[in-house]
């Protein structure tokens, strides 16, 4: 799922186990779609630039 | 509309003036608001909890202060509502969820509720929202959908949709909301009210159920610029109970309302901010710009990337915040919210960090713009209120997902903590549509000068028509 365009079932279930979550069969397709969407957003953000300055602080 | 009540007809400032002058009492105003909610909220579904006993007690307290000759504050006796993620002492804080109802009642008021109460206002009700503030539509699986007072077939926007609808319908003159990616400004735009997302850290979030720690803001919704400014002045402060609170001195906004816009450098933001605004939204910005004599456009680079970064950060932080609860009580979430949180919890850290880096870069892009601009104008939402249940909306010939896209014009500013104020206009389609005013950090005074000028000219006006 490196290109952010597709997320397969095995990847989602493995990632979920890694953080102690269970994905029900009812949720699986929607979670895959949502994760693909978010990974697409990450692709829009682009390659990491320089080390981040702190986010805006009051 | 018949039977217009005191609450519907008067502004918060007018109400408080009458109470302070002894021409009315707090108990009368609060009793009227409670009666209005009971009589007229059925179709709207904007209110989830009514605090009748407490409200009447608080109103009597205000009236006793008046009787002693003391000043109860600039919002004396003004009834207000809060999004149901604010703690109200003695009551369970829902955050739009059934899970939260299993927790103990709040022991104290949220800081923002306390600040308004200290200014004399009286909390009368809590309002509907998207579960855990995760959404832009206030279609809540547990509490139902809040309807738009201007057209009951349409959404109120979200996630502070109940607060905006209650204000737009005249049930209360003032309400509190929270804004992570536009959740004050989006419903303000769709319901035709004023709504302010202050600078990050300017209003305390203590005593609220947080959604995204690095993006959440508390702010007011009202029907006039003066009411909004009065509420903001009461709310803004340093609060050590909120780790993100700013100790910078507060600049009050009510004194500048009549200052006009002379000397302010105002420009229209273009690029992304035109691309995702339909003709109605762009026309509203054009009319506001014409009224203000704006002749300058500014391209805000990387704003579409800022939206993407905001979505990644929102999902990752919200997923992490809910991780423990998702393991134990996943079935008790609204299914759509659960699926979004689950996806966020699975995002790679590399994506989150890249989004944070973009955030820092975007802040620099915008900081340079504000070196010679004081206020930027954009539409607040890509379009006016979609129908309830509508999944996509046509913006410039492109079909955008309603649930994901209503905040596309609001997200970039929240990402970098800038103050943004939505002023109500009437669109060419006859529905409300907001124009968003954006300034550099802590420049709320500039926003209020522009908002008040547009209202004074009659360009911006909150409609009090009730469907």
């Amino acid at each position: 799922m490196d290109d952010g365009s597709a997320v397969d079932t095995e990847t989602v279930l493995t990632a979920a186990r890694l953080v102690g979550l269970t994905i029900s069969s009812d949720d699986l397709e929607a979670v895959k779609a949502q994760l693909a969407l978010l990974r697409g957003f990450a692709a829009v953000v682009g390659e990491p630039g320089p080390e981040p300055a702190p986010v805006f602080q009051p | 509309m018949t039977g217009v009540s005191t609450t519907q007809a008067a502004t918060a400032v007018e109400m408080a003036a009458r109470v302070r002058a002894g021409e009315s009492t707090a108990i009368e105003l609060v009793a009227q608001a409670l009666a209005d909610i009971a009589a007229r909220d059925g179709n709207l579904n904007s209110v989830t909890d009514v605090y009748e006993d407490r409200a009447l007690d608080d109103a009597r307290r205000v009236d006793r202060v008046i009787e002693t000759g003391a000043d109860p504050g600039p919002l004396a006796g003004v009834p207000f509502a809060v999004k149901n993620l604010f703690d109200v002492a003695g009551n369970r804080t829902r955050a739009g969820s059934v899970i939260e109802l299993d927790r103990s009642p709040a022991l104290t008021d949220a800081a923002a509720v306390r600040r308004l109460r200290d200014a004399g206002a009286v909390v009368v009700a809590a309002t509907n929202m998207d579960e855990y503030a995760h959404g832009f539509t206030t279609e809540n699986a547990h509490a139902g959908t809040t309807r738009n007072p201007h057209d009951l077939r349409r959404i109120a926007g979200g996630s502070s949709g109940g607060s905006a609808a209650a204000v737009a319908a005249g049930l209360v003159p003032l309400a509190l909301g929270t804004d992570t990616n536009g959740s004050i400004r989006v419903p303000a735009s769709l319901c035709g009210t004023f709504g302010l997302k202050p600078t990050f850290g300017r209003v305390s979030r203590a005593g609220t159920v947080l959604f995204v720690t690095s993006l959440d803001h508390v702010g007011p919704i009202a029907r006039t610029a003066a009411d909004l400014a009065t509420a903001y002045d009461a709310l803004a402060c340093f609060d050590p109970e909120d780790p993100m609170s700013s100790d910078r001195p507060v600049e009050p906004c009510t004194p500048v309302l009549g200052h006009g816009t002379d000397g302010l450098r105002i420009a229209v933001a273009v690029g992304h901010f035109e691309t995702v605004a339909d003709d109605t939204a762009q026309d509203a910005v054009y009319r506001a710009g014409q009224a203000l004599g704006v002749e300058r456009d500014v391209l805000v680079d990387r704003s579409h990337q800022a939206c993407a970064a905001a979505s990644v950060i929102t999902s990752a932080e919200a997923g992490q915040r809910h991780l423990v609860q998702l393991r134990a009580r996943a079935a008790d979430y609204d299914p759509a919210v659960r699926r979004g949180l689950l996806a966020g919890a699975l995002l790679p850290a590399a994506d989150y960090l890249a989004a944070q880096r973009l955030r820092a870069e975007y802040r620099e892009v915008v900081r340079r713009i504000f070196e010679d601009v004081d206020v930027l104008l954009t539409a607040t939402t890509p379009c006016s209120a979609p129908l309830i249940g509508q999944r996509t909306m046509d913006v410039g010939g492109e079909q955008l997902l309603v649930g994901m896209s209503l905040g596309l014009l609001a997200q970039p500013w929240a990402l970098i903590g800038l103050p943004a104020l939505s002023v109500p206009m009437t669109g060419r389609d006859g529905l409300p549509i907001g124009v968003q005013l954006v300034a550099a950090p802590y420049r709320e005074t500039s926003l209020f000068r522009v908002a008040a000028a547009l209202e004074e000219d009659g360009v911006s006006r909150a409609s009090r028509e009730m469907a």
Side-chain angles (χ1 to χ4, degrees):
Chain A
M1 54 192 240
D2 286 345
D3 64 357
S5 61
V7 179
D8 61 68
T9 297
E10 183 183 348
T11 302
V12 166
L13 295 180
T14 302
R17 279 196 297 275
L18 191 64
V19 293
L21 291 173
T22 302
I23 311 287
S24 73
S25 56
D26 283 350
D27 287 344
L28 182 59
E29 291 307 315
V31 172
K32 284 166 60 180
Q34 185 70 19
L35 189 53
L37 189 65
L38 290 171
R39 298 237 63 212
F41 289 147
V44 169
V45 167
E47 292 300 313
E51 280 301 306
V55 294
F56 171 68
Q57 293 293 320
Chain B
M1 185 166 57
T2 59
V4 176
S5 73
T6 307
T7 317
Q8 291 167 259
T11 71
V13 169
E14 291 167 348
M15 287 182 190
R18 286 210 300 268
V19 169
R20 296 167 81 186
E23 296 166 4
S24 181
T25 63
I27 198 81
E28 288 171 351
L29 294 179
V30 167
Q32 184 63 61
L34 293 169
D36 281 343
I37 292 168
R40 301 197 297 113
D41 190 52
N43 287 338
L44 290 176
N45 194 34
S46 68
V47 169
T48 56
D49 306 81
V50 175
Y51 306 129
E52 180 167 352
D53 291 345
R54 171 186 162 138
L56 293 172
D57 285 347
D58 278 358
R60 290 187 194 99
R61 178 183 58 81
V62 172
D63 287 335
R64 282 197 297 274
V65 171
I66 296 278
E67 287 167 10
T68 66
D71 184 352
L75 292 168
V78 173
F80 73 101
V82 297
K83 187 176 186 177
N84 71 29
L85 55 62
F86 287 84
D87 284 350
V88 175
N91 297 278
R92 287 183 168 81
T93 310
R94 293 174 184 264
S97 162
V98 294
I99 297 171
E100 297 298 316
L101 289 176
D102 289 346
R103 304 194 201 286
S104 300
L107 295 175
T108 58
D109 288 344
V113 175
R114 195 164 61 240
R115 295 285 299 185
L116 290 184
R117 186 172 186 257
D118 288 348
V122 176
V123 61
V124 298
T127 58
N128 199 13
M129 58 180 281
D130 292 284
E131 188 182 52
Y132 289 115
H134 191 292
F136 285 122
T137 62
T138 313
E139 294 170 296
N140 185 294
H142 315 295
T145 298
T146 293
R147 296 173 182 275
N148 193 309
H150 296 272
D151 182 343
L152 296 175
R153 300 169 304 159
R154 298 181 184 275
I155 61 168
S159 62
S160 308
S163 288
V167 169
L171 301 181
V172 285
L174 183 64
L176 289 178
T178 57
D179 190 313
T180 306
N181 285 295
S183 284
I184 288 172
R185 292 162 287 159
V186 167
S189 174
L190 303 191
C191 289
T193 69
F194 291 82
L196 173 68
K197 183 200 80 61
T199 306
F200 187 73
R202 186 72 291 177
V203 174
S204 174
R205 309 173 303 180
T208 67
V209 177
L210 292 173
F211 174 36
V212 180
T213 309
S214 76
L215 284 168
D216 287 346
H217 304 69
V218 166
I221 294 170
R223 289 197 300 269
T224 68
D227 286 0
L228 198 75
T230 305
Y232 169 74
D233 286 353
L235 290 165
C237 69
F238 169 63
D239 181 5
E241 292 180 31
D242 180 350
M244 295 296 157
S245 185
S246 169
D247 61 2
R248 182 186 171 109
V250 174
E251 295 178 45
C253 290
T254 47
V256 307
L257 287 171
H259 285 191
T261 59
D262 285 354
L264 285 180
R265 299 163 299 178
I266 307 171
V268 172
V270 295
H272 166 83
F273 297 98
E274 289 178 309
T275 305
V276 292
D278 73 4
D279 290 347
T280 296
Q282 289 190 38
D283 176 68
V285 175
Y286 175 78
R287 285 186 282 131
Q290 287 286 102
L292 295 165
V294 176
E295 297 178 343
R296 187 174 166 199
D297 293 344
V298 170
L299 178 65
V300 187
D301 283 331
R302 310 191 72 177
S303 295
H304 71 292
Q305 289 181 293
C307 288
S311 296
V312 169
I313 292 167
T314 295
S315 297
E317 290 193 25
Q320 190 280 334
R321 173 170 288 279
H322 282 267
L323 196 54
V324 172
Q325 199 162 267
L326 283 168
R327 291 175 185 141
R329 301 195 59 175
D332 294 328
Y333 282 84
D334 177 329
V337 173
R338 177 178 67 239
R339 291 160 186 164
L341 292 171
L342 285 168
L346 304 183
L347 264 178
D351 290 354
Y352 177 77
L353 291 172
Q356 289 286 21
R357 288 175 180 173
L358 185 283
R359 186 184 204 177
E361 291 163 11
Y362 186 65
R363 181 191 58 191
E364 284 305 302
V365 168
V366 176
R367 187 189 60 74
R368 286 194 292 273
I369 288 172
F370 280 114
E371 286 176 354
D372 66 348
V373 171
D374 295 307
V375 175
L376 286 174
L377 304 184
T378 79
T380 307
T381 48
C383 58
S384 54
L387 295 166
I388 291 170
Q390 183 179 327
R391 291 182 55 78
T392 61
M393 52 194 190
D394 186 335
V395 177
E398 189 174 351
Q399 294 297 311
L400 302 178
L401 288 170
V402 169
M404 295 288 296
S405 305
L406 279 171
L408 283 174
L409 300 170
Q411 278 184 300
W413 315 119
L415 181 68
I416 52 175
L418 302 189
L421 193 163
S422 183
V423 299
M425 309 264 291
T426 300
R428 293 195 302 206
D429 57 5
L431 291 168
I433 184 86
V435 168
Q436 185 176 215
L437 318 174
V438 186
Y442 305 108
R443 297 297 186 198
E444 280 84 356
T445 49
S446 299
L447 302 183
F448 276 104
R449 286 173 63 188
V450 176
L454 288 170
E455 189 180 38
E456 177 70 22
D457 288 348
V459 178
S460 169
R461 186 165 301 278
S463 169
R464 294 173 193 165
E465 291 301 317
M466 171 85 180

